[in-house]
Amino acid sequence: MGKFKRIPVKDINAMRKILDDLPDKNLGKTREEAAELLNANILKAIEKGYTVKELADIMAQGNVVIPAPVIREKVLPQKAVPRKREPKPRPEAVKPVAVPPVTPQTQEDIPDYYTPDIPDTEL
């Protein structure tokens, strides 16, 4: 087996200083982040009568390139997304029900409170 190489503490401290002194590479923001940061200002400009396309052009001249679709997506309030209409339920095919055979009722089967319909002509 090989012997493990030891790193001197002074080299570790020197490397710590080098790593701490590295410049930040993440200085900018994404288009979406920039649109969110400028949200209130963009809305004020829209209230003044500017269109989203005009604002995108103005911002591009100022070295802040945010396309109009990104502004619409991130800044403008979401419109109610129209839902697809649900199809009306189709009526189920009505199956003919077998009509029970008519059996003549005797006077004994008819209750006392039953009054048959009398046609209007007999009233």
Side-chain angles (χ1 to χ4, degrees), residues 10 18 30 39 41 43 45 50 69 75 87 96 101 107 115 120:
K10 68 176 185 161
I18 291 170
T30 65
N39 187 350
N41 304 89
L43 288 175
Y50 289 92
V75 176
Q107 190 65 29
T115 55
D120 289 342

Side-chain angles (χ1 to χ4, degrees), residues 90-98:
R90 293 183 180 177
E92 295 181 20
V94 179
K95 297 178 182 177
V97 180

Side-chain angles (χ1 to χ4, degrees), residues 43-61:
L43 288 175
K44 284 180 187 177
I46 289 173
E47 287 176 4
K48 290 179 181 178
Y50 289 92
T51 66
V52 175
K53 178 100 172 93
E54 290 172 333
L55 292 175
D57 292 339
I58 291 168
M59 289 191 296
Q61 292 171 4

Side-chain angles (χ1 to χ4, degrees), residues 6-49:
R6 314 269 289 153
I7 301 172
V9 175
K10 68 176 185 161
D11 290 343
I12 293 173
N13 288 335
M15 184 51 62
R16 182 177 292 144
K17 181 164 175 28
I18 291 170
L19 292 174
D20 286 341
D21 292 340
L22 287 175
D24 192 4
K25 287 183 126 183
N26 295 326
L27 296 177
K29 300 286 185 187
T30 65
R31 292 174 176 178
E32 289 80 9
E33 292 169 337
E36 290 173 5
L37 289 173
L38 296 171
N39 187 350
N41 304 89
I42 293 171
L43 288 175
K44 284 180 187 177
I46 289 173
E47 287 176 4
K48 290 179 181 178

Side-chain angles (χ1 to χ4, degrees), residues 116-123:
D117 287 337
I118 300 173
D120 289 342
T121 54
E122 293 182 15
L123 290 176

